[in-house]
Amino acid sequence: VGPGKAARVAVLAKQARIIVAIDSEYGLRDLSAAAQGAGVEVGALVDVNVGLPRCGVAPGEPAAALAKQIDAAPGVVLRGAMGYEGHVMNFADREEREAKTIKAMDRLLRSVQAIRDAGLRCEIVSAGGTCTFNITGGIEGITEIQAGTYVVMDSFYMYPDLPFELAFSVLGTVMSRPRPEMLVADCGHKSATIDHGNPPVKSVEGASVLFMSDEHATISVPPTCALAVGDRIELYGSHIDPTINLHDRMYAVDGDEVVEVWPIAARGYLEQREG
């Protein structure tokens, strides 16, 4: 939604299979006009609100009504429905997370049934995240899991029942050791986000981040810690998505050896990138 954005989707649809989540007539009209103008077809999922107060049309008949509109729109192909239960990801207790996930998926599957009862196709039923992949993924009728954090993981989602490991850290340098029980590193807000709490310190027993400033991470350490000015220190990401978005490239390492450098091409919020 917004000037030029649907047109960019239509251009991409000439190169790859694109599926867009839709929860409004406005968004549908915008996408349909752009697809017709580019002479392409773009797939669409009805975005159903399953409890997360974000995007999504109301479950059940409202979802089916929007599906009918999508099915009738030129240049847009109805592929199914989606609902993201992001509101349950913060529950560390497995039983509570599972109960809330089942309730959310009931809203989505009722919507899917309403769409099918209207005689419409609904081949894709997309849901699930890193913390619910093996809950949502086990519910009959769900065809696709949307998990992403699991690839490198973050500390906020390190629940005991999840099989994933932390594989990402921000490398900083100790820039000050003003007291035996404290050091300061050059990896503050501009290096790691803290909306999910302070990032944990990697491989330094007894160390924890006290607070983050724009350029500084102030870290509590045991007085016996041997780290000195100029030494390197690593922080795990507490929220991996926006942390990665702060950097231009990622270094894949095997021990101390850099084996690959991966550019982070989709970072930032630019309308268009050159090259």
Side-chain angles (χ1 to χ4, degrees):
V1 172
K5 293 181 181 179
R8 291 178 63 195
V9 170
V11 170
L12 286 173
K14 295 181 178 181
Q15 307 169 47
R17 187 182 72 163
I18 301 294
I19 301 177
V20 178
I22 294 177
D23 75 347
S24 71
E25 293 182 42
Y26 184 103
L28 174 59
R29 289 196 302 269
D30 207 14
L31 187 64
S32 176
Q36 290 180 83
V40 298
E41 287 188 334
V42 179
L45 301 180
V46 177
D47 191 352
V48 180
N49 183 345
V50 297
L52 176 67
R54 202 164 68 181
C55 298
V57 67
E61 289 306 319
L66 181 58
K68 292 176 184 177
Q69 293 176 309
I70 294 172
D71 186 62
V76 182
V77 179
L78 177 65
R79 299 293 306 279
M82 65 155 283
Y84 176 56
E85 67 279 21
H87 59 294
V88 312
M89 301 297 164
N90 296 351
F91 292 93
D93 180 76
R94 168 76 183 204
E95 290 186 6
E96 186 173 13
R97 195 176 345 124
E98 186 167 348
K100 291 181 182 297
T101 297
I102 291 171
K103 184 177 179 180
M105 291 302 97
D106 179 66
R107 295 179 179 128
L108 177 59
L109 293 172
R110 280 192 290 109
S111 303
V112 168
Q113 190 59 53
I115 293 169
R116 289 173 176 162
D117 287 347
L120 303 174
R121 66 188 296 182
C122 196
E123 64 193 71
I124 296 173
V125 183
S126 181
T130 293
C131 299
T132 60
F133 84 99
N134 59 359
I135 302 172
T136 301
I139 296 175
E140 186 176 355
I142 303 298
T143 69
E144 177 180 276
I145 297 298
Q146 302 171 9
T149 297
Y150 78 94
V151 176
V152 292
M153 212 50 185
D154 59 31
S155 64
F156 191 72
Y157 282 170
M158 285 299 292
Y159 301 148
D161 62 293
L162 297 179
F164 310 119
E165 298 180 9
L166 290 166
F168 173 94
S169 62
V170 173
L171 181 64
T173 302
V174 177
M175 56 194 300
S176 178
R177 186 75 188 264
R179 297 195 300 272
E181 70 277 10
M182 191 182 87
L183 61 80
V184 181
D186 63 351
C187 41
H189 283 308
K190 293 183 180 180
S191 300
T193 60
I194 62 169
D195 58 306
H196 283 180
N198 287 332
V201 181
K202 178 181 177 181
S203 302
V204 181
E205 188 174 353
S208 63
V209 172
L210 293 173
F211 64 92
M212 304 275 279
S213 309
D214 289 353
E215 308 283 358
H216 306 78
T218 300
I219 301 171
S220 171
V221 294
T224 55
C225 176
L227 287 171
V229 174
D231 288 341
R232 293 302 186 97
I233 191 168
E234 294 177 65
L235 303 181
Y236 286 122
S238 58
H239 191 184
I240 200 65
D241 317 55
T243 294
I244 287 177
N245 191 56
L246 295 171
H247 301 273
D248 289 321
R249 60 191 63 85
M250 186 184 299
Y251 296 89
V253 299
D254 183 4
D256 291 331
E257 180 185 359
V258 176
V259 293
E260 288 190 40
V261 180
W262 300 331
I264 303 171
R267 67 163 301 228
Y269 200 69
L270 298 181
E271 284 298 313
Q272 185 173 351
R273 283 184 175 269
E274 305 251 340

